[in-house]
C-alpha cells in the first residue's frame, strides 16, 4: 500500500512503517527481533555522530546499537537491550533527494540495521530486502 502524505511523516508514522516491515521479515529474522527496541528520533545526537565519524546529522538515517547475535556470549549477559534507531529528519531528507516510495525507503533502512543485528554482509542484506 502506498500512502499519500499531506505533511512530512511523523516519528509515529515512521515507527509504524518500520514495525510493519519488521513483522513481515521472514523467519528466523522476525522471531529474533522481538526484544530489539525500535526508536525514532529527530536527529542522531552529536556524540553518536562523532563516534561514527559523521559530520552532518542528515548523513545518518539509522543505526544498530547492541551486540550482534554471532558475537554474544555469557560474558555479554546483563547488557542493555539491542536497539535500532531511525532518524526522522535524515530519512525525510533522503526521501526528498531520492524520490523513492517512502515505505520502501524506511524498509530499506530498517533491513540494513537488522542486518547489523544479525551480522549479515551487504550482499545478505540485499537478498533479505529482495524478499517480499
Amino acid at each position: 500500500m502506498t500512502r499519500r502524505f499531506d505533511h512530512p511523516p511523523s516519528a509515529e508514522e515512521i515507527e509504524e512503517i518500520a514495525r510493519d516491515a519488521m513483522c513481515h521479515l521472514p523467519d528466523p529474522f522476525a522471531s529474533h527481533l522481538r526484544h530489539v527496541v525500535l526508536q525514532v528520533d529527530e536527529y542522531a545526537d552529536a556524540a553518536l555522530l562523532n563516534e561514527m565519524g559523521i559530520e552532518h546529522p542528515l548523513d545518518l538515517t539509522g543505526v544498530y546499537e547492541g551486540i550482534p547475535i554471532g558475537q554474544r556470549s555469557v560474558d555479554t549477559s546483563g547488557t542493555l537491550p539491542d536497539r535500532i534507531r531511525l532518524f526522522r529528519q535524515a530519512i525525510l531528507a533522503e526521501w526528498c533527494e531520492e524520490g523513492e516510495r517512502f515505505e520502501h525507503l524506511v524498509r530499506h533502512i530498517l533491513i540494513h540495521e537488522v542486518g547489523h543485528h544479525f551480522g549479515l554482509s551487504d550482499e545478505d542484506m540485499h537478498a533479505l530486502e529482495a524478499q517480499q
Side-chain angles (χ1 to χ4, degrees):
M1 172 179 93
T2 300
R3 300 178 195 203
R4 300 241 182 253
F5 297 100
D6 58 353
H7 61 280
S10 67
E12 292 78 17
E13 290 168 312
I14 293 172
E15 182 177 344
E16 180 182 330
I17 293 166
R19 285 197 186 285
D20 183 63
M22 282 176 80
C23 290
H24 286 92
L25 289 173
D27 274 328
F29 300 104
S31 61
H32 285 284
L33 294 171
R34 287 187 204 122
H35 301 291
V36 174
V37 174
L38 177 62
Q39 180 177 328
V40 180
D41 297 322
E42 284 299 301
Y43 295 97
D45 56 79
L48 176 62
L49 293 171
N50 189 41
E51 176 185 325
M52 297 187 75
I54 297 173
E55 293 185 21
H56 198 282
L58 294 182
D59 291 337
L60 184 61
T61 56
V63 67
Y64 165 73
E65 297 171 321
I67 302 168
I69 286 178
Q71 296 177 12
R72 294 179 186 211
S73 71
V74 293
D75 295 332
T76 59
S77 65
T79 59
L80 292 172
D82 292 334
R83 177 169 65 164
I84 292 175
R85 293 171 61 197
L86 303 178
F87 303 111
R88 179 177 175 266
Q89 293 297 327
I91 292 170
L92 293 175
E94 186 170 326
W95 179 43
C96 289
E97 288 175 15
E98 301 297 324
E100 65 182 293
R101 202 167 52 86
F102 190 75
E103 289 85 352
H104 180 266
L105 175 61
V106 172
R107 184 175 187 273
H108 169 78
I109 295 165
L110 176 83
I111 288 174
H112 184 84
E113 301 314 328
V114 164
H116 290 302
H117 173 68
F118 287 101
L120 300 178
S121 67
D122 284 341
E123 187 175 285
D124 291 335
M125 288 181 215
H126 292 299
L128 180 59
E129 189 172 357
Q131 296 179 12
Q132 293 291 337

